[in-house]
Amino acid sequence: MPTPERTAARVALAGIAASAMLAVLKIAVGLAANSVATVSDGVESAADVVSSGLVYLGLRIAAKPADEDHPYGHGRFETLTALAVGVILAAAGAGICMNAVQPRGQIPALFAVWPLAISVATKAVLAVVKMRTGRAARSAALIADAWNDSVDILSGSVALISVLLAVYNPGHLRSADQYGAFIIGLIVIFMGFRVVRETALQLMDTMPDQAQMEAIRIEALRVPGALGVDKCYARKTGLRYHVDLHLEVDPDLSVLASHEIARAVKRHLKDRLDWVADVLVHVEPHLRTRPERLTRS
C-alpha cells in the first residue's frame, strides 16, 4: 500500500499534467477569441503548473528519512514549498491585474467559453481529490494546491460570466471581459496571501489544535506508570508533528524504571497517533500533594 507521501505526490503530479493542458488550451483559445479573461485564466493555470511542480518536489524531499544533518527529517521543505506556492499565486494575480487594465476595443468571440467550462469541471474534481489527500497526508503544500484549484473554479466562473456578458450585451458591457480578468487577478492575490499566512504560522511552530493536544495527553496516560502530564508541546515538521512531553511518574522509581515508562509512552504515542513523527519525553516526579489539574501548553 502506498504511503500518504507517495499518494500525495502522485496527486500533485496529476495536477501538473491537468494544469498544463488547461493552460495551453485557455491561452490559445483566448488569444484566438480576443478574450483577455480567458487568457488571464490560462496564465493562472500556467502558474498552477509551477506551483504544483513545487508541491511535488516538496513532497518527494519531505518523504526522505532523517539523516545526520537533518535529525528531524526533511519535512520543513514541504512547508517551504507551500510558502512558495502562495508567493507565486500573489505574483501571478498582480500580473493578471496589470494586464487586465490595458486598453482593448475588441469584443471576445463566444467560443472562448468552452475551455473555461472544461477548466471549471476539471478543477472541481482536482480540488476535491487534493483536499482529501492533503488532509489524509497532513500536507500543507497539497492542501494549499487544493485551495489553488478552488480559486481556479471561482476565477474560471468569473471569466465565463464575463465573456458571456461582453458577447451578449456589447453595447453596455463591452469591457466586462476586462473587468472579469481584473477580478480574477484580485482573487488570485487574496488566495496567495492566505496560503502565505497559513504556512508562515507553521514555520513559526504554531501549536496544533486543542483536540490533537488533548489526544496526546490522553494516550500518554494510558501507559502503565504514567501518572500525569505536566507540559506538552508539539510542532509540525513537514507532514507530521514532533512532540515534547513532560511526563510525571512515581518519584520512588529508579532511573531505569522511569526511563522504561518514558520509552513505552513514546512507542504508544507513535503507534496510536499516526500524525506523530517522534516524541521527546522528559520525566518528572509526580507529587502526591499536588492538586490534580489539567495542564495546558
Side-chain angles (χ1 to χ4, degrees):
M1 180 179 294
T3 63
E5 292 87 348
R6 288 184 178 275
T7 302
R10 290 174 182 174
V11 171
L13 196 58
I16 295 173
S19 295
M21 290 187 291
L22 289 172
V24 172
L25 180 63
K26 286 186 283 190
I27 292 174
V29 174
L31 290 173
N34 297 314
S35 172
V36 64
T38 304
V39 172
S40 297
D41 206 42
V43 172
E44 202 277 332
S45 291
D48 291 348
V49 176
V50 178
S51 63
S52 294
L54 287 173
V55 170
Y56 179 75
L57 177 63
L59 288 165
R60 295 284 293 182
I61 294 178
K64 294 174 61 178
D67 54 34
E68 184 176 348
D69 294 327
H70 305 90
Y72 293 101
H74 298 78
R76 287 287 191 188
F77 194 85
E78 188 266 349
T79 309
L80 288 173
T81 57
L83 184 64
V85 168
V87 173
I88 289 172
L89 284 175
I96 290 171
C97 287
M98 292 176 63
N99 183 62
V101 298
Q102 301 300 318
R104 291 176 175 84
Q106 294 176 311
I107 299 172
L110 183 58
F111 65 84
V113 303
W114 294 112
L116 296 172
I118 294 171
S119 176
V120 169
T122 303
K123 290 295 185 174
V125 174
L126 285 174
V128 172
V129 173
K130 287 181 182 179
M131 186 63 72
R132 288 180 177 176
T133 307
R135 286 174 175 171
R138 296 179 181 85
S139 168
L142 194 59
I143 291 174
D145 211 27
W147 280 113
N148 187 13
D149 287 333
S150 300
V151 173
D152 293 347
I153 299 170
L154 181 58
S155 64
S157 300
V158 169
L160 184 62
I161 294 171
S162 301
V163 172
L164 291 174
L165 289 174
V167 169
Y168 287 108
N169 195 353
H172 297 88
L173 299 172
R174 174 183 291 269
S175 299
D177 186 50
Q178 288 180 255
Y179 289 137
F182 191 81
I183 293 172
I184 291 170
L186 292 179
I187 293 171
V188 175
I189 290 173
F190 173 78
M191 284 307 303
F193 281 124
R194 183 182 187 278
V195 171
V196 168
R197 176 184 176 276
E198 291 184 354
T199 51
L201 289 175
Q202 289 189 21
L203 290 173
M204 293 172 64
D205 289 336
T206 301
M207 296 275 281
D209 59 56
Q210 189 61 37
Q212 288 178 287
M213 298 303 298
E214 188 65 22
I216 294 172
R217 296 184 179 93
I218 291 173
E219 292 299 332
L221 293 177
R222 294 185 190 278
V223 177
L227 303 181
V229 174
D230 182 25
K231 297 176 183 178
C232 183
Y233 306 105
R235 55 192 174 93
K236 193 174 185 184
T237 306
L239 307 183
R240 294 182 174 86
Y241 287 89
H242 282 75
V243 177
D244 295 327
L245 190 70
H246 289 229
L247 184 72
E248 296 180 351
V249 300
D250 189 336
D252 295 328
L253 291 177
S254 66
V255 173
L256 179 60
S258 300
H259 176 69
E260 289 302 319
I261 294 173
R263 289 182 60 186
V265 168
K266 177 178 178 177
R267 289 194 302 268
H268 181 77
L269 288 176
K270 292 176 68 175
D271 289 342
R272 295 298 299 270
L273 304 175
D274 60 356
W275 45 271
V276 172
D278 200 8
V279 184
L280 178 63
V281 181
H282 174 74
V283 175
E284 295 183 355
H286 179 70
L287 304 179
R288 294 176 176 82
T289 57
R290 178 186 300 176
E292 291 186 3
R293 59 187 175 91
L294 178 62
T295 57
R296 295 185 179 180
S297 54

